Amino acid sequence: GELNDAKLMFERLLRHGSAADVRQARSFYQAQESGEVDATGRLTLDPVVERTLVVLDMLRHGEEEEALKEALRLAEENPKDPTVSNLVAGIYISRGDLKTAREIMEPAIAEHPHQLALMRTMDRIDVTEGNFEAVEARSRAAMEANPEDEQIILRLAQFLAQRGRRDEAIDLL
């Protein structure tokens, strides 16, 4: 019921938290923003979003096997949901199973090629496998499709700078 306090806390974490805290806070914050508040101030979330948050919380508490089982049930019930695909792939990445993660991500990213969360997860797979060209190609395609999207431009510039192509990054910006 303390939605305003929760919102302030998430915003603080987004500004000052570690990378892992920021990712988790962003997930919870986006879920909160997607919910509806009834007359009593109670937040109601979409069931898929709510179950996704439960899986993330299970992972946070070290319940990896149960989290994977729940994520797979969720994926079976929602095979086309990109958030669910991203969740399941992320679990497989954390387990070191990049082959399975890729098998999950390829159809999701084919259907939603410019969704940043999916792009980040696919990038993790490609970078781990040394496929930097795929990361750049995906970023450039997203930028061409959305030339005014600052997040995508910044994302590509950061990637170029990290690859030692600082001048290209500056030109892009």
Short mmCIF file of all heavy atoms in Angstrom, two decimals, residues 4-63:
data_model
loop_
_atom_site.label_atom_id
_atom_site.label_comp_id
_atom_site.label_asym_id
_atom_site.label_seq_id
_atom_site.Cartn_x
_atom_site.Cartn_y
_atom_site.Cartn_z
N ASN A 4 3.97 5.15 -3.10
CA ASN A 4 4.83 6.32 -3.29
C ASN A 4 6.19 6.11 -2.64
O ASN A 4 7.22 6.48 -3.19
CB ASN A 4 4.17 7.59 -2.76
CG ASN A 4 3.02 8.03 -3.64
OD1 ASN A 4 2.99 7.74 -4.83
ND2 ASN A 4 2.05 8.70 -3.05
N ASP A 5 6.20 5.51 -1.44
CA ASP A 5 7.47 5.22 -0.77
C ASP A 5 8.29 4.22 -1.58
O ASP A 5 9.51 4.37 -1.73
CB ASP A 5 7.24 4.67 0.64
CG ASP A 5 6.72 5.73 1.59
OD1 ASP A 5 6.83 6.94 1.27
OD2 ASP A 5 6.20 5.34 2.65
N ALA A 6 7.62 3.20 -2.11
CA ALA A 6 8.32 2.20 -2.93
C ALA A 6 8.90 2.85 -4.18
O ALA A 6 10.05 2.59 -4.55
CB ALA A 6 7.37 1.07 -3.31
N LYS A 7 8.13 3.74 -4.80
CA LYS A 7 8.59 4.42 -6.00
C LYS A 7 9.84 5.24 -5.69
O LYS A 7 10.82 5.21 -6.44
CB LYS A 7 7.48 5.30 -6.55
CG LYS A 7 7.83 5.96 -7.85
CD LYS A 7 6.64 6.74 -8.40
CE LYS A 7 7.01 7.39 -9.71
NZ LYS A 7 5.90 8.12 -10.29
N LEU A 8 9.83 5.97 -4.59
CA LEU A 8 10.99 6.77 -4.21
C LEU A 8 12.21 5.89 -3.94
O LEU A 8 13.33 6.22 -4.34
CB LEU A 8 10.67 7.61 -2.98
CG LEU A 8 9.70 8.77 -3.20
CD1 LEU A 8 9.33 9.41 -1.86
CD2 LEU A 8 10.29 9.80 -4.14
N MET A 9 11.99 4.75 -3.28
CA MET A 9 13.08 3.84 -2.99
C MET A 9 13.69 3.29 -4.30
O MET A 9 14.91 3.26 -4.46
CB MET A 9 12.60 2.68 -2.12
CG MET A 9 13.69 1.68 -1.78
SD MET A 9 13.11 0.29 -0.81
CE MET A 9 12.10 -0.55 -2.01
N PHE A 10 12.83 2.87 -5.23
CA PHE A 10 13.33 2.36 -6.50
C PHE A 10 14.09 3.44 -7.26
O PHE A 10 15.14 3.18 -7.84
CB PHE A 10 12.18 1.82 -7.37
CG PHE A 10 11.55 0.57 -6.83
CD1 PHE A 10 10.20 0.36 -6.97
CD2 PHE A 10 12.30 -0.40 -6.20
CE1 PHE A 10 9.60 -0.80 -6.48
CE2 PHE A 10 11.72 -1.56 -5.71
CZ PHE A 10 10.35 -1.76 -5.86
N GLU A 11 13.57 4.67 -7.26
CA GLU A 11 14.25 5.75 -7.95
C GLU A 11 15.63 6.02 -7.33
O GLU A 11 16.60 6.28 -8.04
CB GLU A 11 13.39 7.02 -7.94
CG GLU A 11 12.19 6.88 -8.88
CD GLU A 11 11.20 8.03 -8.75
OE1 GLU A 11 11.33 8.86 -7.82
OE2 GLU A 11 10.28 8.09 -9.58
N ARG A 12 15.72 5.94 -6.01
CA ARG A 12 17.00 6.12 -5.33
C ARG A 12 17.98 5.01 -5.74
O ARG A 12 19.16 5.27 -6.01
CB ARG A 12 16.79 6.10 -3.81
CG ARG A 12 17.38 7.31 -3.13
CD ARG A 12 17.17 7.34 -1.64
NE ARG A 12 15.78 7.68 -1.32
CZ ARG A 12 14.99 6.97 -0.53
NH1 ARG A 12 15.42 5.91 0.09
NH2 ARG A 12 13.75 7.33 -0.32
N LEU A 13 17.49 3.79 -5.76
CA LEU A 13 18.35 2.67 -6.18
C LEU A 13 18.81 2.83 -7.63
O LEU A 13 19.96 2.52 -7.95
CB LEU A 13 17.60 1.34 -6.04
CG LEU A 13 17.58 0.73 -4.65
CD1 LEU A 13 16.59 -0.42 -4.59
CD2 LEU A 13 18.96 0.26 -4.26
N LEU A 14 17.92 3.30 -8.49
CA LEU A 14 18.28 3.49 -9.89
C LEU A 14 19.40 4.51 -10.03
O LEU A 14 20.25 4.40 -10.91
CB LEU A 14 17.07 3.92 -10.72
CG LEU A 14 16.00 2.85 -10.92
CD1 LEU A 14 14.77 3.44 -11.60
CD2 LEU A 14 16.53 1.67 -11.72
N ARG A 15 19.42 5.52 -9.16
CA ARG A 15 20.45 6.56 -9.23
C ARG A 15 21.75 6.16 -8.56
O ARG A 15 22.83 6.53 -9.01
CB ARG A 15 19.94 7.85 -8.57
CG ARG A 15 19.02 8.67 -9.45
CD ARG A 15 18.80 10.07 -8.90
NE ARG A 15 18.30 10.10 -7.54
CZ ARG A 15 17.01 10.06 -7.20
NH1 ARG A 15 16.09 9.97 -8.13
NH2 ARG A 15 16.65 10.09 -5.94
N HIS A 16 21.67 5.42 -7.45
CA HIS A 16 22.86 5.22 -6.62
C HIS A 16 23.24 3.77 -6.37
O HIS A 16 24.24 3.53 -5.70
CB HIS A 16 22.66 5.91 -5.26
CG HIS A 16 22.30 7.37 -5.37
ND1 HIS A 16 23.18 8.30 -5.86
CD2 HIS A 16 21.15 8.02 -5.09
CE1 HIS A 16 22.59 9.48 -5.85
NE2 HIS A 16 21.35 9.34 -5.40
N GLY A 17 22.49 2.82 -6.87
CA GLY A 17 22.76 1.42 -6.55
C GLY A 17 23.85 0.81 -7.42
O GLY A 17 24.27 1.38 -8.43
N SER A 18 24.29 -0.37 -7.02
CA SER A 18 25.23 -1.13 -7.84
C SER A 18 24.51 -1.60 -9.10
O SER A 18 23.28 -1.54 -9.19
CB SER A 18 25.75 -2.34 -7.06
OG SER A 18 24.69 -3.27 -6.89
N ALA A 19 25.25 -2.10 -10.07
CA ALA A 19 24.65 -2.54 -11.33
C ALA A 19 23.58 -3.60 -11.11
O ALA A 19 22.49 -3.54 -11.69
CB ALA A 19 25.74 -3.06 -12.27
N ALA A 20 23.85 -4.57 -10.24
CA ALA A 20 22.88 -5.64 -9.98
C ALA A 20 21.64 -5.07 -9.28
O ALA A 20 20.51 -5.44 -9.62
CB ALA A 20 23.51 -6.73 -9.12
N ASP A 21 21.85 -4.18 -8.32
CA ASP A 21 20.72 -3.57 -7.62
C ASP A 21 19.88 -2.74 -8.59
O ASP A 21 18.65 -2.73 -8.51
CB ASP A 21 21.20 -2.67 -6.47
CG ASP A 21 21.76 -3.47 -5.32
OD1 ASP A 21 21.44 -4.67 -5.21
OD2 ASP A 21 22.52 -2.89 -4.51
N VAL A 22 20.54 -2.04 -9.49
CA VAL A 22 19.82 -1.21 -10.46
C VAL A 22 18.97 -2.08 -11.37
O VAL A 22 17.80 -1.77 -11.63
CB VAL A 22 20.81 -0.35 -11.29
CG1 VAL A 22 20.14 0.27 -12.50
CG2 VAL A 22 21.41 0.74 -10.41
N ARG A 23 19.52 -3.21 -11.84
CA ARG A 23 18.74 -4.11 -12.70
C ARG A 23 17.51 -4.62 -11.97
O ARG A 23 16.40 -4.63 -12.51
CB ARG A 23 19.60 -5.28 -13.18
CG ARG A 23 20.50 -4.93 -14.35
CD ARG A 23 21.08 -6.17 -14.99
NE ARG A 23 21.85 -7.00 -14.09
CZ ARG A 23 23.13 -6.80 -13.78
NH1 ARG A 23 23.78 -5.80 -14.30
NH2 ARG A 23 23.76 -7.59 -12.95
N GLN A 24 17.69 -5.06 -10.74
CA GLN A 24 16.56 -5.59 -10.00
C GLN A 24 15.55 -4.49 -9.68
O GLN A 24 14.36 -4.68 -9.82
CB GLN A 24 17.02 -6.27 -8.71
CG GLN A 24 15.87 -6.95 -8.01
CD GLN A 24 16.33 -7.84 -6.89
OE1 GLN A 24 17.42 -7.70 -6.38
NE2 GLN A 24 15.50 -8.77 -6.51
N ALA A 25 16.03 -3.33 -9.27
CA ALA A 25 15.13 -2.22 -8.96
C ALA A 25 14.35 -1.82 -10.21
O ALA A 25 13.14 -1.54 -10.13
CB ALA A 25 15.91 -1.02 -8.42
N ARG A 26 15.02 -1.80 -11.36
CA ARG A 26 14.34 -1.45 -12.61
C ARG A 26 13.23 -2.45 -12.91
O ARG A 26 12.13 -2.07 -13.30
CB ARG A 26 15.34 -1.39 -13.77
CG ARG A 26 14.71 -0.87 -15.05
CD ARG A 26 15.73 -0.69 -16.16
NE ARG A 26 16.63 0.40 -15.82
CZ ARG A 26 17.95 0.30 -15.80
NH1 ARG A 26 18.54 -0.84 -16.12
NH2 ARG A 26 18.70 1.33 -15.50
N SER A 27 13.49 -3.73 -12.70
CA SER A 27 12.46 -4.75 -12.95
C SER A 27 11.26 -4.53 -12.05
O SER A 27 10.11 -4.55 -12.50
CB SER A 27 13.03 -6.15 -12.70
OG SER A 27 14.04 -6.44 -13.60
N PHE A 28 11.52 -4.33 -10.77
CA PHE A 28 10.42 -4.13 -9.83
C PHE A 28 9.70 -2.81 -10.10
O PHE A 28 8.48 -2.74 -10.03
CB PHE A 28 10.92 -4.19 -8.38
CG PHE A 28 11.14 -5.60 -7.90
CD1 PHE A 28 12.41 -6.16 -7.95
CD2 PHE A 28 10.11 -6.36 -7.41
CE1 PHE A 28 12.62 -7.46 -7.52
CE2 PHE A 28 10.32 -7.66 -6.97
CZ PHE A 28 11.57 -8.21 -7.03
N TYR A 29 10.44 -1.78 -10.42
CA TYR A 29 9.85 -0.46 -10.69
C TYR A 29 8.95 -0.53 -11.92
O TYR A 29 7.83 -0.02 -11.91
CB TYR A 29 10.97 0.57 -10.88
CG TYR A 29 10.47 1.98 -11.07
CD1 TYR A 29 9.99 2.71 -9.99
CD2 TYR A 29 10.49 2.59 -12.32
CE1 TYR A 29 9.54 4.01 -10.15
CE2 TYR A 29 10.05 3.88 -12.49
CZ TYR A 29 9.58 4.59 -11.41
OH TYR A 29 9.14 5.87 -11.57
N GLN A 30 9.43 -1.17 -12.99
CA GLN A 30 8.63 -1.30 -14.20
C GLN A 30 7.37 -2.12 -13.93
O GLN A 30 6.30 -1.81 -14.45
CB GLN A 30 9.45 -1.92 -15.33
CG GLN A 30 10.48 -0.97 -15.88
CD GLN A 30 11.46 -1.64 -16.83
OE1 GLN A 30 11.61 -2.86 -16.85
NE2 GLN A 30 12.15 -0.84 -17.62
N ALA A 31 7.51 -3.15 -13.12
CA ALA A 31 6.34 -3.95 -12.77
C ALA A 31 5.33 -3.11 -12.00
O ALA A 31 4.12 -3.16 -12.25
CB ALA A 31 6.75 -5.17 -11.95
N GLN A 32 5.83 -2.32 -11.06
CA GLN A 32 4.94 -1.46 -10.27
C GLN A 32 4.23 -0.46 -11.19
O GLN A 32 3.04 -0.23 -11.05
CB GLN A 32 5.74 -0.71 -9.21
CG GLN A 32 4.89 0.26 -8.41
CD GLN A 32 5.73 1.09 -7.47
OE1 GLN A 32 6.74 0.64 -6.97
NE2 GLN A 32 5.30 2.31 -7.23
N GLU A 33 4.97 0.12 -12.13
CA GLU A 33 4.38 1.09 -13.04
C GLU A 33 3.31 0.45 -13.93
O GLU A 33 2.39 1.13 -14.36
CB GLU A 33 5.47 1.72 -13.91
CG GLU A 33 6.40 2.64 -13.14
CD GLU A 33 5.70 3.89 -12.66
OE1 GLU A 33 5.14 4.62 -13.49
OE2 GLU A 33 5.72 4.15 -11.45
N SER A 34 3.46 -0.84 -14.22
CA SER A 34 2.50 -1.52 -15.09
C SER A 34 1.23 -1.93 -14.35
O SER A 34 0.24 -2.29 -14.96
CB SER A 34 3.13 -2.75 -15.74
OG SER A 34 3.29 -3.78 -14.77
N GLY A 35 1.27 -1.88 -13.02
CA GLY A 35 0.12 -2.31 -12.23
C GLY A 35 -0.96 -1.25 -12.15
O GLY A 35 -0.77 -0.10 -12.53
N GLU A 36 -2.10 -1.69 -11.68
CA GLU A 36 -3.23 -0.79 -11.48
C GLU A 36 -3.51 -0.69 -9.99
O GLU A 36 -3.44 -1.68 -9.26
CB GLU A 36 -4.45 -1.31 -12.22
CG GLU A 36 -4.28 -1.32 -13.72
CD GLU A 36 -5.52 -1.80 -14.44
OE1 GLU A 36 -6.61 -1.85 -13.82
OE2 GLU A 36 -5.40 -2.15 -15.62
N VAL A 37 -3.84 0.52 -9.56
CA VAL A 37 -4.15 0.75 -8.16
C VAL A 37 -5.67 0.85 -8.01
O VAL A 37 -6.31 1.63 -8.72
CB VAL A 37 -3.48 2.05 -7.66
CG1 VAL A 37 -3.79 2.30 -6.20
CG2 VAL A 37 -1.98 1.99 -7.88
N ASP A 38 -6.23 0.06 -7.10
CA ASP A 38 -7.68 0.12 -6.89
C ASP A 38 -8.02 1.25 -5.92
O ASP A 38 -7.15 1.99 -5.48
CB ASP A 38 -8.23 -1.23 -6.43
CG ASP A 38 -7.73 -1.66 -5.06
OD1 ASP A 38 -7.22 -0.81 -4.31
OD2 ASP A 38 -7.87 -2.85 -4.74
N ALA A 39 -9.30 1.37 -5.59
CA ALA A 39 -9.78 2.46 -4.74
C ALA A 39 -9.15 2.45 -3.35
O ALA A 39 -9.02 3.48 -2.71
CB ALA A 39 -11.29 2.41 -4.64
N THR A 40 -8.70 1.29 -2.90
CA THR A 40 -8.11 1.19 -1.56
C THR A 40 -6.60 1.44 -1.58
O THR A 40 -5.96 1.42 -0.55
CB THR A 40 -8.36 -0.20 -0.95
OG1 THR A 40 -7.65 -1.18 -1.73
CG2 THR A 40 -9.85 -0.54 -0.91
N GLY A 41 -6.04 1.65 -2.79
CA GLY A 41 -4.61 1.88 -2.90
C GLY A 41 -3.82 0.60 -3.10
O GLY A 41 -2.60 0.62 -3.14
N ARG A 42 -4.51 -0.53 -3.24
CA ARG A 42 -3.85 -1.82 -3.42
C ARG A 42 -3.41 -1.97 -4.88
O ARG A 42 -4.18 -1.71 -5.80
CB ARG A 42 -4.78 -2.95 -3.03
CG ARG A 42 -4.18 -4.31 -3.11
CD ARG A 42 -5.18 -5.35 -2.59
NE ARG A 42 -4.74 -6.68 -2.90
CZ ARG A 42 -3.90 -7.39 -2.16
NH1 ARG A 42 -3.42 -6.87 -1.07
NH2 ARG A 42 -3.55 -8.61 -2.52
N LEU A 43 -2.18 -2.39 -5.08
CA LEU A 43 -1.62 -2.57 -6.41
C LEU A 43 -1.95 -3.96 -6.92
O LEU A 43 -1.75 -4.96 -6.24
CB LEU A 43 -0.09 -2.39 -6.36
CG LEU A 43 0.65 -2.52 -7.67
CD1 LEU A 43 0.30 -1.37 -8.60
CD2 LEU A 43 2.15 -2.56 -7.42
N THR A 44 -2.47 -4.01 -8.15
CA THR A 44 -2.76 -5.28 -8.80
C THR A 44 -1.87 -5.39 -10.03
O THR A 44 -1.86 -4.50 -10.88
CB THR A 44 -4.25 -5.34 -9.24
OG1 THR A 44 -5.07 -5.12 -8.11
CG2 THR A 44 -4.57 -6.69 -9.86
N LEU A 45 -1.11 -6.46 -10.08
CA LEU A 45 -0.20 -6.69 -11.20
C LEU A 45 -0.74 -7.74 -12.14
O LEU A 45 -1.49 -8.64 -11.72
CB LEU A 45 1.17 -7.15 -10.69
CG LEU A 45 1.94 -6.19 -9.81
CD1 LEU A 45 3.21 -6.84 -9.29
CD2 LEU A 45 2.27 -4.92 -10.56
N ASP A 46 -0.32 -7.66 -13.38
CA ASP A 46 -0.61 -8.71 -14.34
C ASP A 46 -0.05 -10.02 -13.79
O ASP A 46 1.07 -10.03 -13.25
CB ASP A 46 0.06 -8.35 -15.67
CG ASP A 46 -0.06 -9.44 -16.70
OD1 ASP A 46 -1.08 -9.49 -17.38
OD2 ASP A 46 0.90 -10.25 -16.80
N PRO A 47 -0.79 -11.13 -13.90
CA PRO A 47 -0.30 -12.40 -13.32
C PRO A 47 1.07 -12.84 -13.84
O PRO A 47 1.87 -13.39 -13.09
CB PRO A 47 -1.38 -13.42 -13.71
CG PRO A 47 -2.60 -12.61 -13.95
CD PRO A 47 -2.13 -11.27 -14.45
N VAL A 48 1.37 -12.58 -15.12
CA VAL A 48 2.68 -12.95 -15.66
C VAL A 48 3.77 -12.10 -15.01
O VAL A 48 4.82 -12.62 -14.61
CB VAL A 48 2.71 -12.82 -17.20
CG1 VAL A 48 4.12 -13.03 -17.74
CG2 VAL A 48 1.75 -13.80 -17.84
N VAL A 49 3.51 -10.82 -14.87
CA VAL A 49 4.47 -9.92 -14.23
C VAL A 49 4.69 -10.35 -12.78
O VAL A 49 5.82 -10.43 -12.30
CB VAL A 49 4.00 -8.45 -14.30
CG1 VAL A 49 4.87 -7.55 -13.45
CG2 VAL A 49 3.98 -7.98 -15.75
N GLU A 50 3.61 -10.64 -12.10
CA GLU A 50 3.70 -11.04 -10.69
C GLU A 50 4.52 -12.32 -10.53
O GLU A 50 5.42 -12.40 -9.68
CB GLU A 50 2.31 -11.24 -10.11
CG GLU A 50 2.29 -11.47 -8.63
CD GLU A 50 0.88 -11.51 -8.08
OE1 GLU A 50 -0.04 -10.94 -8.67
OE2 GLU A 50 0.71 -12.13 -7.02
N ARG A 51 4.27 -13.31 -11.38
CA ARG A 51 5.02 -14.56 -11.29
C ARG A 51 6.48 -14.37 -11.69
O ARG A 51 7.37 -15.02 -11.14
CB ARG A 51 4.35 -15.64 -12.14
CG ARG A 51 3.05 -16.13 -11.50
CD ARG A 51 2.32 -17.13 -12.32
NE ARG A 51 3.07 -18.35 -12.54
CZ ARG A 51 2.75 -19.22 -13.50
NH1 ARG A 51 1.73 -19.01 -14.30
NH2 ARG A 51 3.48 -20.32 -13.65
N THR A 52 6.74 -13.46 -12.63
CA THR A 52 8.12 -13.14 -13.01
C THR A 52 8.86 -12.57 -11.82
O THR A 52 10.00 -12.94 -11.53
CB THR A 52 8.13 -12.16 -14.20
OG1 THR A 52 7.51 -12.78 -15.32
CG2 THR A 52 9.55 -11.75 -14.56
N LEU A 53 8.21 -11.67 -11.09
CA LEU A 53 8.83 -11.08 -9.91
C LEU A 53 9.08 -12.14 -8.83
O LEU A 53 10.10 -12.09 -8.14
CB LEU A 53 7.96 -9.95 -9.35
CG LEU A 53 7.86 -8.72 -10.24
CD1 LEU A 53 6.88 -7.72 -9.64
CD2 LEU A 53 9.22 -8.08 -10.45
N VAL A 54 8.18 -13.10 -8.71
CA VAL A 54 8.37 -14.19 -7.75
C VAL A 54 9.62 -14.99 -8.13
O VAL A 54 10.44 -15.32 -7.27
CB VAL A 54 7.11 -15.09 -7.67
CG1 VAL A 54 7.41 -16.38 -6.91
CG2 VAL A 54 5.95 -14.34 -7.03
N VAL A 55 9.79 -15.28 -9.41
CA VAL A 55 10.97 -16.03 -9.87
C VAL A 55 12.23 -15.22 -9.57
O VAL A 55 13.22 -15.77 -9.06
CB VAL A 55 10.87 -16.38 -11.37
CG1 VAL A 55 12.19 -16.93 -11.89
CG2 VAL A 55 9.74 -17.38 -11.61
N LEU A 56 12.21 -13.93 -9.86
CA LEU A 56 13.38 -13.09 -9.57
C LEU A 56 13.70 -13.08 -8.07
O LEU A 56 14.86 -13.13 -7.69
CB LEU A 56 13.14 -11.66 -10.06
CG LEU A 56 13.12 -11.47 -11.57
CD1 LEU A 56 12.68 -10.05 -11.92
CD2 LEU A 56 14.45 -11.80 -12.19
N ASP A 57 12.67 -13.05 -7.27
CA ASP A 57 12.89 -13.07 -5.82
C ASP A 57 13.45 -14.42 -5.38
O ASP A 57 14.33 -14.48 -4.52
CB ASP A 57 11.58 -12.76 -5.09
CG ASP A 57 11.82 -12.41 -3.63
OD1 ASP A 57 12.63 -11.50 -3.36
OD2 ASP A 57 11.21 -13.07 -2.77
N MET A 58 12.97 -15.51 -5.97
CA MET A 58 13.51 -16.83 -5.65
C MET A 58 15.00 -16.89 -5.99
O MET A 58 15.80 -17.41 -5.21
CB MET A 58 12.75 -17.92 -6.43
CG MET A 58 11.30 -18.08 -6.01
SD MET A 58 10.37 -19.08 -7.20
CE MET A 58 10.60 -20.68 -6.46
N LEU A 59 15.35 -16.34 -7.15
CA LEU A 59 16.75 -16.31 -7.55
C LEU A 59 17.58 -15.50 -6.57
O LEU A 59 18.69 -15.88 -6.20
CB LEU A 59 16.90 -15.75 -8.96
CG LEU A 59 16.38 -16.63 -10.09
CD1 LEU A 59 16.32 -15.84 -11.39
CD2 LEU A 59 17.23 -17.88 -10.24
N ARG A 60 17.03 -14.37 -6.16
CA ARG A 60 17.74 -13.49 -5.22
C ARG A 60 18.02 -14.21 -3.90
O ARG A 60 19.02 -13.96 -3.25
CB ARG A 60 16.90 -12.24 -4.97
CG ARG A 60 17.60 -11.18 -4.17
CD ARG A 60 16.79 -9.90 -4.15
NE ARG A 60 15.57 -10.00 -3.40
CZ ARG A 60 15.45 -9.78 -2.09
NH1 ARG A 60 16.50 -9.43 -1.40
NH2 ARG A 60 14.30 -9.89 -1.49
N HIS A 61 17.13 -15.13 -3.54
CA HIS A 61 17.30 -15.87 -2.28
C HIS A 61 18.01 -17.21 -2.46
O HIS A 61 18.03 -18.04 -1.56
CB HIS A 61 15.94 -16.08 -1.61
CG HIS A 61 15.40 -14.82 -1.00
ND1 HIS A 61 14.51 -14.02 -1.65
CD2 HIS A 61 15.67 -14.23 0.18
CE1 HIS A 61 14.23 -12.98 -0.89
NE2 HIS A 61 14.93 -13.08 0.23
N GLY A 62 18.59 -17.44 -3.65
CA GLY A 62 19.38 -18.64 -3.88
C GLY A 62 18.58 -19.90 -4.17
O GLY A 62 19.13 -21.00 -4.11
N GLU A 63 17.33 -19.77 -4.51
CA GLU A 63 16.48 -20.92 -4.80
C GLU A 63 16.47 -21.18 -6.31
O GLU A 63 15.43 -21.16 -6.96
CB GLU A 63 15.06 -20.67 -4.29
CG GLU A 63 15.00 -20.40 -2.80
CD GLU A 63 13.63 -19.86 -2.35
OE1 GLU A 63 12.65 -20.01 -3.09
OE2 GLU A 63 13.58 -19.28 -1.26
#
